[in-house]
Amino acid sequence: MSEEATEKRAREDESADGPAVPQEGESGPHAGAGHGEPDKSAKKTEDSAAPSRAEVSNYEIVEHWFDVAADRLELPDDVAAVLRSSYREVQVQVPVRLGDGKLHVFSGYRVQHNGARGPYKGGIRFHPEVDLDEVRALAELMTWKTAIVNLPYGGAKGGVNVDPSKLEAREVQAVARSFMDKIEKVLGPTRDIPAPDVGTNAQVMAWLMDEYGKLHGHTPACVTGKPIALEGSYGREAATGRGVVQVFREAAPQVELDPAGARFVVQGFGNVGSWAARLMQELGGTMVGAADASGAIASGNGIDAEKLAEHMRDGGSVGDFDGSAEEIEPDELLALECDVFIPAALGGMIHKANAGRMRCRMIVEGANSPTTPAADEILNDKGVLIVPDVLANAGGVVVSYFEWVQNLQHFRWDEEQVNERLGEIMRRAFGEVANRAQENGTPMRPAAYELGIERVVEAASTRGYI
Ligand code: NAD
């Protein structure tokens, strides 16, 4: 491990001992959006009931794993420096007149990390914790992810520092359109193609596409994750969760687990978590714990994932689910005994201070960067198998790729075709990463990073860029 990586680890060890967030921050509607002022408000989690998170940032997590892989691949320092930094970072003001009649200015970001393998690709997040560091980290993660599953894309990410849960739908629409107006010049089907992420969904993608179309003419391939009615792809909404379950099936034999009878816990019951839960249940699994930002529940007899998803669709939350499950402290979710733990919320939720309490046989990372390097080491030592984010949650970008291909061809595939092709890509990528891990004698995460970085280096040097 490089000196830099060791230093980062040391910083994490110092900082991960106690609850780091929530921090003090402005509350109430339109938090963080001062009248006519740039958004400099303190970051805040969605709910005070949120479990503790490590202070180590997503950026430090991604950099740590990059450094480990770069060392193993013996990348020259100058090449590593190019690969580590972003190609382009755009920060914009997003002024919106909200329901209170005042102009509020949010901060918006789009980071294009590396485009050696194709147009930049990555989601757009609307969340009060979004900042440049986080978007930069997630953009880099996308570069390695698209390379690991071998898609002809580079990596990007975007976000607006806003809490959509505090806004009316028409206000969210205004934020989306204003953001698109500010960043459209660096986007487009052959340049950079956004998709949904935390706090955004198919409806937000529809507004983004419509706004882009006003300036450039109807261009469905400019964003993915769109509604079916607007040239979205069948299967896109469930794709990330489906991919999580597909790699889980491949990985289960490594811990001698029958995939059809697994007891699992889902942290973050949003798009990724709720689909993963429903598909795990369809496979014969039992959900014994679940959480969202509002709270956590557990039941040894099982929580019906379908019913919980329906409850959420009707505007409910995990905390007020009227099932037979018992409400537990969010921090206790991690300590539930289960076969599989699926983090599907935000980054840094499994850290040094709580990893030792986990009682699962495997972790399949639906979220991006949910596990800090220190936690990863603790879990590896405990013999917990981790299927890393860069592989496990790639199903979304795979079906986004299918959507882009369909849009460019103006030809729609049916859902069965989408799911089958997704399965082929996820299984192939899992096999490549698992084989490399076995050959190297390392866990899957370093093997996955090595594979992704190697592919990007090959493309960049073949282009003559490095
Ligand atoms: P989402 O907004 O639909 O869901 C996020 C969920 O996490 C919500 O239920 C929210 O309440 C919950 N949450 C937030 N803070 C929490 C906390 N402290 N404790 C427990 N739960 C908490 O977002 P999503 O699209 O499902 O994304 C979830 C994760 O998956 C993110 O890390 C995202 O980057 C990653 N991801 C998403 C996609 C995708 O296609 N949507 C693809 C790849 C990776």
Side-chain angles (χ1 to χ4, degrees), residues 254-288:
Q254 288 195 18
V255 288
E256 287 166 13
L257 179 66
D258 172 9
R263 293 168 73 77
F264 62 95
V265 170
V266 176
Q267 180 187 51
F269 209 79
N271 172 288
V272 178
S274 70
W275 276 108
R278 278 174 275 179
L279 294 165
M280 287 289 285
Q281 185 166 295
E282 205 176 287
L283 205 62
T286 306
M287 183 163 76
V288 293

Side-chain angles (χ1 to χ4, degrees), residues 50-51 125 197-199 236 240 269-272 292-293 344-345 349 366-368:
R125 184 175 281 205
D197 194 76
V198 173
R236 172 61 183 90
T240 308
F269 209 79
N271 172 288
V272 178
D292 69 358
M349 303 204 58
N368 283 316

